[in-house]
Amino acid sequence: MTSFDFQPRTRVVFGAGSIQRLGELAASLGASRVLLVADPGIVAAGHPQTAIRLLTAAGIESLLFDQVAENPTTDHVNAGLEFVQGRGVDLIIGLGGGSSLDCARGINFLLTNGGQMADYWGVGKASKPMLPFISIPTTAGTGSEAQSYALIADPVTH
């Protein structure tokens, strides 16, 4: 058996009411203006409003991008990128199911590394550091919050 040294870089904050720590956690990452990515159903349920209230209480400005559909495509990522470019965000938060979390990751790739989503299909394609990222899962499904990959479809080829 080959020896190895494993040092995960993902922090997990778990427990009832953990969302109440969002402002504190975002501030600990140096956030002053965040992009919050969610889908319309999550917005209708009031979850982003709670997150924005907590961030505001911590002195952090929030920009909400809520145009994410189930099984996000490059079109959703590009719309999110267009929404956030030039607005000086220093942290990205994905709130919702796997679609919101994956779209937020895709936006992070393009915002920090440029290009288009097809440039990042595969493994190890980012050449520049990405912005800090917080995942807030509201569903138990794909486990998107527990990994660093993003499932983003091409709307033409699927």
Side-chain angles (χ1 to χ4, degrees), residues 38 48-49 57 61 80 82-83 108 114-115 129 134-135 149:
Q49 296 84 334
E61 182 182 350
E82 185 176 318
F83 172 80
N108 201 350
I134 295 175
S135 293
Y149 294 94

Side-chain angles (χ1 to χ4, degrees), residues 85-112:
Q85 274 184 319
R87 297 183 79 180
V89 301
D90 48 20
L91 174 76
I92 296 181
I93 299 172
L95 171 63
S99 296
S100 296
L101 305 183
D102 287 352
C103 189
R105 278 192 199 93
I107 294 167
N108 201 350
F109 268 107
L110 299 187
L111 185 63
T112 57

Side-chain angles (χ1 to χ4, degrees), residues 8-9 27 42 45 61 71 77 86 89 94 104 113 115 117 134 141 146 148-149:
R9 297 184 340 181
I42 294 298
E61 182 182 350
N71 302 315
V77 172
V89 301
N113 281 263
M117 281 310 307
I134 295 175
S148 61
Y149 294 94

Side-chain angles (χ1 to χ4, degrees), residues 22-121:
L22 181 59
E24 163 204 339
L25 296 169
S28 76
L29 294 170
S32 61
R33 179 178 291 156
V34 305
L35 173 65
L36 181 62
V37 179
D39 66 64
I42 294 298
V43 172
H47 298 304
Q49 296 84 334
T50 298
I52 290 168
R53 178 180 50 78
L54 294 166
L55 292 164
T56 299
I60 299 169
E61 182 182 350
S62 304
L63 306 170
L64 175 62
F65 176 71
D66 62 359
Q67 301 303 305
V68 180
E70 204 172 288
N71 302 315
T73 69
T74 55
D75 291 343
H76 299 107
V77 172
N78 291 337
L81 177 64
E82 185 176 318
F83 172 80
V84 74
Q85 274 184 319
R87 297 183 79 180
V89 301
D90 48 20
L91 174 76
I92 296 181
I93 299 172
L95 171 63
S99 296
S100 296
L101 305 183
D102 287 352
C103 189
R105 278 192 199 93
I107 294 167
N108 201 350
F109 268 107
L110 299 187
L111 185 63
T112 57
N113 281 263
Q116 55 188 341
M117 281 310 307
D119 298 332
Y120 303 101
W121 291 344

